[in-house]
Amino acid sequence: MQGVVVMNPIITSYIPFKGYNIYVSNVRRLLSNSGYASYPVRKVLLNPRVFFKCKIFNFNWFEEVHSRSEYVKKAAFLILLKMFNKKIVFTLHNKHPHEATNQWSIKMTNKMCLKSDAIIGLCPDTDKVLQDVYPDALKKLTIIPHPNYIANYSIEDSSDYKKKYGINDGDLVFLYLGVVSPYKNIDLLLDVFVKVKNPHVWLIIAGNPSNPTYGENIKERVNFLSNVIVDFRHIPEDEIPKYYRTSTVVILPYQKDIYLNSGAVYLSFSLKRTVICPLIGSINMIKDKSFVYSYDYEDESNHGTQLEKVINKVLDDYKYDISIPRIMGQKAFEYIKIAHSDELVSELYKEVYDSLL
């Protein structure tokens, strides 16, 4: 699919055009394969000829609003697009915006549901979110699986960081890689992991702290834990496979009331690693969960207990047969290669976009 060239593609805008993660560039690539060229919104707005030709605007994370003035600006932009008969696609990623849980974000979510011509959800659980937020929008919803990352990274020929950190080949390594933020439940993870006393079991936390103070607080906590390694910085793309190759299992102790989808789940599967993850939408959509260490909990007060149980399950599996997590990771790869294939995702985007013209 990467080599597909479409003559006279239809001009659209994808927002944001860059940033966040490789998900954005992957979707734009798949849209291109389907005959839809994506332009940055700034380029569209500054060029009347391009704006006239631009048919569709696809918004991601647009509902994240921090103030009334930001809400007014974004709402005015949506009104402008409707005045010129532009089609609006709203991609709904989360139950709630991660960094802006306020009345303005809630209002913008409602506004996006009202103004959009199509809504894209990345998992079937999206319908439950819309039912609570704006039930009338359910008729606009299409589920399109999150793209995989198989074409972006390769774990096969990568080196690892075992020697760098003094990790033996037979050791069990849990990995958290991503933004280090309170809403990612890093503190909860450390509360649980402090009970793991095995010198051959490690936890690596790699990524940029959401703010310096929080990063320092986490460093202070792990100073007393000899089996926890932190690498607090932006992890370059070429180092991601190295960290995954170092790991045995990826651990993602997300809050169910916030998370609906997880790119980290699909990245892990694409790099042949299984995950520890609660039953968020990305996990619920997997019919056969035998290759995932999934778990559930009643509320955050009960989360630590359930997380500890599943970590102990991994420890027991690894003690019984060191190959179990690797076999599960291979099955995860086979799942995402088919259920989240470029061909399927591209075809579904084409169906949605075609229906708007």
Side-chain angles (χ1 to χ4, degrees):
M1 294 292 291
Q2 284 184 305
V4 174
V5 177
V6 178
M7 301 300 293
N8 300 318
I10 298 170
I11 294 176
T12 68
S13 182
Y14 196 84
I15 305 161
F17 191 77
K18 294 182 179 179
Y20 283 88
N21 49 51
I22 292 181
Y23 165 86
V24 171
S25 58
N26 278 346
V27 174
R28 289 195 287 105
R29 170 174 58 83
L30 297 177
L31 284 170
S32 177
N33 292 343
S34 299
Y36 291 93
S38 300
Y39 281 64
V41 66
R42 182 176 177 83
K43 182 174 182 178
V44 173
L45 295 179
L46 292 178
N47 189 323
R49 184 178 63 85
V50 175
F51 180 76
F52 176 76
K53 290 184 176 181
C54 189
K55 305 295 185 182
I56 300 170
F57 290 74
N58 189 328
F59 292 88
N60 297 257
W61 305 288
F62 197 70
E63 70 275 23
E64 189 169 299
V65 178
H66 298 83
S67 65
R68 181 180 183 278
S69 60
E70 184 181 2
Y71 170 82
V72 170
K73 290 177 183 177
K74 287 187 173 183
F77 181 43
L78 296 178
I79 293 171
L80 172 70
L81 294 181
K82 300 310 290 186
M83 286 175 57
F84 285 90
N85 296 316
K86 305 302 183 182
K87 300 298 183 179
I88 294 176
V89 176
F90 175 34
T91 303
L92 182 58
H93 290 267
N94 306 300
K95 292 181 178 179
H96 307 289
H98 292 167
E99 300 288 1
T101 53
N102 56 59
Q103 62 169 325
W104 301 112
S105 287
I106 295 171
K107 289 188 69 172
M108 182 51 64
T109 301
N110 290 336
K111 181 73 72 175
M112 291 300 299
C113 290
L114 174 65
K115 295 296 184 182
S116 63
D117 298 283
I119 297 175
I120 291 174
L122 306 182
C123 67
D125 282 4
T126 307
D127 62 358
K128 299 175 185 176
V129 178
L130 286 180
Q131 183 66 50
D132 292 338
V133 174
Y134 201 94
D136 289 345
L138 283 168
K139 60 181 177 291
K140 304 178 184 180
L141 176 64
T142 299
I143 303 301
I144 301 181
H146 191 296
N148 66 60
Y149 295 95
I150 294 173
N152 304 113
Y153 303 100
S154 174
I155 198 172
E156 303 300 338
D157 301 321
S158 174
S159 58
D160 61 47
Y161 286 141
K162 289 181 180 178
K163 184 177 180 180
K164 173 182 177 180
Y165 292 128
I167 298 172
N168 297 319
D169 284 341
D171 291 354
L172 172 59
V173 181
F174 293 97
L175 171 68
Y176 170 85
L177 191 152
V179 176
V180 179
S181 179
Y183 78 83
K184 300 276 192 174
N185 264 344
I186 303 301
D187 289 286
L188 175 70
L189 175 56
L190 291 175
D191 289 342
V192 174
F193 204 80
V194 71
K195 302 175 185 179
V196 178
K197 303 299 184 181
N198 191 326
H200 298 292
V201 179
W202 302 80
L203 170 64
I204 297 177
I205 303 174
N208 241 345
S210 56
N211 64 73
T213 300
Y214 184 68
E216 288 302 317
N217 290 340
I218 296 298
K219 282 184 178 180
E220 288 181 10
R221 292 195 62 182
V222 304
N223 279 340
F224 304 99
L225 301 174
S226 59
N227 59 342
V228 178
I229 299 163
V230 296
D231 183 2
F232 285 170
R233 61 190 173 94
H234 170 71
I235 307 302
E237 299 296 330
D238 63 338
E239 292 188 41
I240 289 175
K242 296 179 182 180
Y243 267 112
Y244 272 86
R245 192 170 174 85
T246 304
S247 71
T248 312
V249 175
V250 174
I251 188 163
L252 305 167
Y254 294 141
Q255 298 180 40
K256 290 195 309 178
D257 62 340
I258 294 178
Y259 272 86
L260 181 60
N261 303 285
S262 169
V265 166
Y266 302 121
L267 173 60
S268 301
F269 290 176
S270 299
L271 287 170
K272 301 184 178 181
R273 290 295 181 268
T274 186
V275 300
I276 292 176
C277 187
L279 292 174
I280 62 172
S282 295
I283 303 299
N284 280 331
M285 72 183 294
I286 303 171
K287 293 181 180 179
D288 176 10
K289 298 179 178 59
S290 62
F291 57 83
V292 181
Y293 287 104
S294 59
Y295 66 99
D296 202 7
Y297 60 90
E298 296 175 3
D299 53 49
E300 283 302 313
S301 66
N302 178 248
H303 192 167
T305 301
Q306 301 307 315
L307 178 60
E308 182 178 357
K309 287 181 180 179
V310 76
I311 287 176
N312 287 331
K313 167 63 174 170
V314 176
L315 296 177
D316 290 342
D317 284 352
Y318 202 70
K319 183 178 180 180
Y320 176 76
D321 185 346
I322 196 173
S323 67
I324 289 177
R326 288 285 187 264
I327 293 172
M328 292 172 68
Q330 182 63 42
K331 290 181 178 178
F333 176 79
E334 296 301 328
Y335 160 79
I336 199 169
K337 184 171 64 173
I338 296 172
H340 296 253
S341 69
D342 283 0
E343 291 77 13
L344 173 63
V345 175
S346 184
E347 178 183 347
L348 291 173
Y349 268 106
K350 179 174 173 56
E351 289 178 3
V352 171
Y353 274 46
D354 286 354
S355 70
L356 298 177
L357 301 179

